[in-house]
Amino acid sequence: MKSLFPDICSTNLVDSKEFYVDFLGFNVIFEIDWYIQLQSPSLEPIQIAFVEKNHSSVPKGYQKTPQGVVVTVEVENVDVVYQRAQDLGLPVIVNLCNEQWGQRHFMLEDPNGLLVDIYTMIEPTDEFAQQYGLA
């Protein structure tokens, strides 16, 4: 396998590009009027793409607004990213919190209505670690 990335059906290509580029630091690696492919600047490149949902390359029965998908992004410092989301007035769905399984995270909505979970790994609680044999 050479790559794997989602192509999100969208009616908001420009807004999607701006969200993932301006907010999360992705780079545009390919763009035409009905398709945009983005890549993270990290050493292990991560990609996401957006296709105009009504484009002929998308079969008729699948030209729908995406739902039931969570885009998860691990970052170095979730507190910094959360503050940036607050400063930009982005639609935060779940405020910054620590989870017992070892994540500090928050969730917001992207321009396509997808839930984006942004997190940094932390230590799980002792109770969780003991329950799942991680201690």
Side-chain angles (χ1 to χ4, degrees), residues 1-75:
M1 186 178 310
K2 293 178 75 173
S3 70
L4 173 68
F5 58 90
D7 283 346
I8 307 298
C9 289
S10 178
T11 57
N12 302 307
L13 292 180
V14 172
D15 291 342
S16 298
K17 177 176 76 171
E18 289 173 359
F19 177 86
Y20 286 89
V21 170
D22 296 345
F23 178 58
L24 292 174
F26 279 72
N27 299 309
V28 177
I29 59 171
F30 184 76
E31 180 175 8
I32 54 180
D33 61 342
W34 55 271
Y35 183 84
I36 297 171
Q37 188 172 352
L38 307 174
Q39 181 170 293
S40 71
S42 63
L43 293 176
E44 296 180 30
I46 300 160
Q47 296 182 5
I48 190 168
F50 300 91
V51 60
E52 179 62 44
K53 77 175 189 175
N54 296 325
H55 189 265
S56 62
S57 66
V58 180
K60 290 280 187 216
Y62 294 88
Q63 295 177 348
K64 300 175 184 175
T65 301
Q67 60 182 6
V69 174
V70 178
V71 176
T72 303
V73 180
E74 182 177 4
V75 297

Side-chain angles (χ1 to χ4, degrees), residues 107-123:
M107 295 181 172
L108 66 157
E109 185 177 314
D110 86 351
N112 304 288
L114 292 175
L115 193 57
V116 179
D117 184 7
I118 301 180
Y119 77 97
T120 297
M121 294 301 297
I122 59 173
E123 289 296 319

